[in-house]
Amino acid sequence: MAKAPDSTAVADKEQEGADTAVGVRRPPAPVAPRASRGFPSAVSRTGRVGALDGLRTLAVALVVVHHVEPDVLPGGAVAVDVFFTISGFVITRLLLAEYVRRGGISLMSFYRRRWMRLVPALLALCAVCALLASTTSLWGFDGSLQAAGLSAAFLTNVVRAMESGPYSELTRPLAHTWSLGVEEQFYLLWPLVLLFVLRRFRARTVLLCTAALCALPLLWRCVLWNPEAAHRIYNGTDTRADQLLAGALVAVALARLRSDDPRLTLLRTWSGRLAWPALALLGLVAWQVPVTEDLGVWTAVWYTVGFLAVAALSATLVMALELRPEARMSRLLALTPLAWVGRNLSYGIYLWHYPVVRLLASLGVNEGRLAATVVLTLLMALLSYYAIEKPFLRRARVGKMPAAAPALAVT
């Protein structure tokens, strides 16, 4: 059970070319303090972070290995948590930048761009799986018609959350799309909540509200926890929201601080010091901890406090990569091959890797299955990117509202 945002997902193409007409790297104009609406760095902090794209590549690689060789990386599903935090960070800073520039957030435009980014490639995947189910005898695609319908409606996580025992065959052919359901449901609700607090409170209170919201899923998980509720907690948007909100909290905090603010220097220093330990701890979990298995007391800790702890580690990484582009970790993750794959192919890799795993298993491929999965998944991701995702992303950018147009702020 894993994902890549958009997330899974997985790479978020809204960053690339976002509002270039107004110059996303240009700092806000030095006018009255009210012009920044309390977020003086919101507009200047919307450029693409190459190291985050490289982190996406690393995370999706963990997901693939976890699904092909679970004994090698029993905790590889933790990469999903990292993707959630990246997504929350990227989406929130784009929404903040729009709010500062226009005094509102065009919700319809936001939802349209999200649809263009996620849905066309997902529908293509669902169609292929349904076709294989109806025209072949491959057992790995039995039940794909129902699973495709749930995936296309972003409801896979809802169905899985309601199952107390072993997961049923209802979602199994496209089980990995549970995390897409979590992200899409978050995308539906979070802009409304953010716009509400932005319109009614000062920037400092917005930051405090976001931090408070991060704590609510932890409390809710503690209330819900029992072994029979494991699926409910693992798949629920309300029980996983703190991992997305941790990224949102980083975005809000950084947007509030000017480049010469001493608190920003403090964040830059400490995030840099903690980045490698955070990455090492996440790697240790992926390598040694079977996070989706029943391990007694450890499972109770993981399904309550553990999710928030991983969110904190992921948020530390995101902050370090944003604030310290010159650091060794940032330079390594921003290497062109890693950044390009994360930016352009991570979503396609996530979408296609699990059906490829099931295809090879149905064909009885055992020797070299990991290598075969990687090759076939990359081919399908490339096809998805150039034939589906890129054309729709181009249409999404062309369809953006002019910079001078008033925002349609719906509360």
Side-chain angles (χ1 to χ4, degrees):
M1 50 178 85
K3 172 228 177 224
D6 172 279
S7 73
T8 124
V10 297
D12 194 302
K13 301 296 286 188
E14 278 187 14
Q15 266 189 301
E16 186 174 349
D19 296 313
T20 52
V22 296
V24 296
R25 280 296 189 184
R26 197 172 301 160
V31 293
R34 185 175 176 80
S36 68
R37 304 179 190 275
F39 297 99
S41 298
V43 174
S44 61
R45 290 193 179 278
T46 54
R48 190 154 203 108
V49 181
L52 282 182
D53 292 328
L55 184 60
R56 283 187 174 102
T57 302
L58 183 60
V60 79
L62 293 178
V63 171
V64 173
V65 175
H66 171 68
H67 278 148
V68 180
E69 301 287 352
D71 292 337
V72 175
L73 287 178
V78 75
V80 177
D81 310 52
V82 178
F83 271 112
F84 282 159
T85 303
I86 294 174
S87 295
F89 170 74
V90 171
I91 290 300
T92 302
R93 71 177 190 161
L94 290 171
L95 291 172
L96 285 174
E98 180 179 356
Y99 182 77
V100 168
R101 285 196 304 266
R102 300 172 177 171
I105 296 172
S106 174
L107 295 177
M108 293 303 103
S109 178
F110 172 81
Y111 294 139
R112 176 179 179 273
R113 294 195 303 271
R114 288 291 84 202
W115 193 96
M116 291 282 198
R117 177 67 190 108
L118 298 177
V119 176
L122 176 61
L123 291 180
L125 170 72
C126 292
V128 169
C129 290
L131 181 64
L132 289 174
S134 59
T135 60
T136 72
S137 58
L138 296 169
W139 60 261
F141 297 94
D142 292 343
S144 287
L145 285 173
Q146 300 95 317
L150 292 172
S151 297
F154 296 101
L155 293 175
T156 301
N157 69 307
V158 176
V159 174
R160 286 164 63 89
M162 294 187 297
E163 297 177 333
S164 58
Y167 290 125
S168 70
E169 294 296 328
L170 187 61
T171 61
R172 197 174 298 276
L174 292 167
H176 65 306
T177 61
W178 72 270
S179 54
L180 293 180
V182 170
E183 283 206 0
E184 190 65 13
Q185 290 151 25
F186 178 81
Y187 295 155
L188 183 65
L189 297 174
W190 174 237
L192 294 169
V193 174
L194 182 62
L195 182 59
F196 178 84
V197 295
L198 285 172
R199 284 189 167 276
R200 282 160 178 76
F201 303 111
R202 295 176 180 271
R204 182 174 181 272
T205 307
V206 173
L207 178 65
L208 294 176
C209 288
T210 307
L213 288 173
C214 286
L216 291 180
L218 169 62
L219 301 177
W220 183 224
R221 289 195 298 267
C222 292
V223 171
L224 290 176
W225 171 251
N226 65 71
E228 288 72 30
H231 293 340
R232 167 69 180 87
I233 292 173
Y234 195 88
N235 294 275
T237 300
D238 55 340
T239 50
R240 300 300 292 268
D242 50 341
Q243 299 186 318
L244 290 136
L245 287 168
L249 182 62
V250 173
V252 173
L254 296 184
R256 283 200 67 237
L257 302 177
R258 297 182 181 276
S259 59
D260 58 351
D261 194 308
R263 292 172 294 180
L264 186 65
T265 302
L266 191 64
L267 288 175
R268 182 180 292 112
T269 299
W270 279 101
S271 64
R273 290 175 179 175
L274 296 174
W276 283 107
L279 184 62
L281 285 173
L282 290 171
L284 183 63
V285 171
W287 179 39
Q288 289 290 325
V289 182
V291 297
T292 59
E293 294 184 12
D294 185 1
L295 300 175
V297 175
W298 166 254
T299 299
V301 172
W302 183 263
Y303 275 61
T304 51
V305 179
F307 288 160
L308 183 57
V310 170
L313 294 174
S314 302
T316 300
L317 278 178
V318 168
M319 185 178 294
L321 297 178
E322 164 72 12
L323 293 179
R324 298 180 63 90
E326 79 292 345
R328 181 178 301 177
M329 180 186 294
S330 295
R331 295 200 309 269
L332 289 173
L333 290 174
L335 290 173
T336 300
L338 287 176
W340 190 88
V341 170
R343 180 170 60 252
N344 300 312
L345 300 186
S346 62
Y347 181 53
I349 290 172
Y350 175 71
L351 283 181
W352 289 98
H353 84 278
Y354 193 67
V356 167
V357 170
R358 295 180 69 86
L359 171 66
L360 294 175
S362 300
L363 294 174
V365 177
N366 292 315
E367 293 295 328
R369 188 164 61 176
L370 179 58
T373 299
V374 170
V375 172
L376 287 177
T377 299
L378 284 175
L379 288 175
M380 295 306 299
L382 284 166
L383 180 62
S384 173
Y385 174 67
Y386 284 108
I388 302 172
E389 297 171 54
K390 192 173 183 179
F392 274 95
L393 288 169
R394 192 157 43 234
R395 290 181 59 185
R397 285 196 289 269
V398 169
K400 282 185 180 179
M401 294 175 60
L408 175 60
V410 183
T411 51

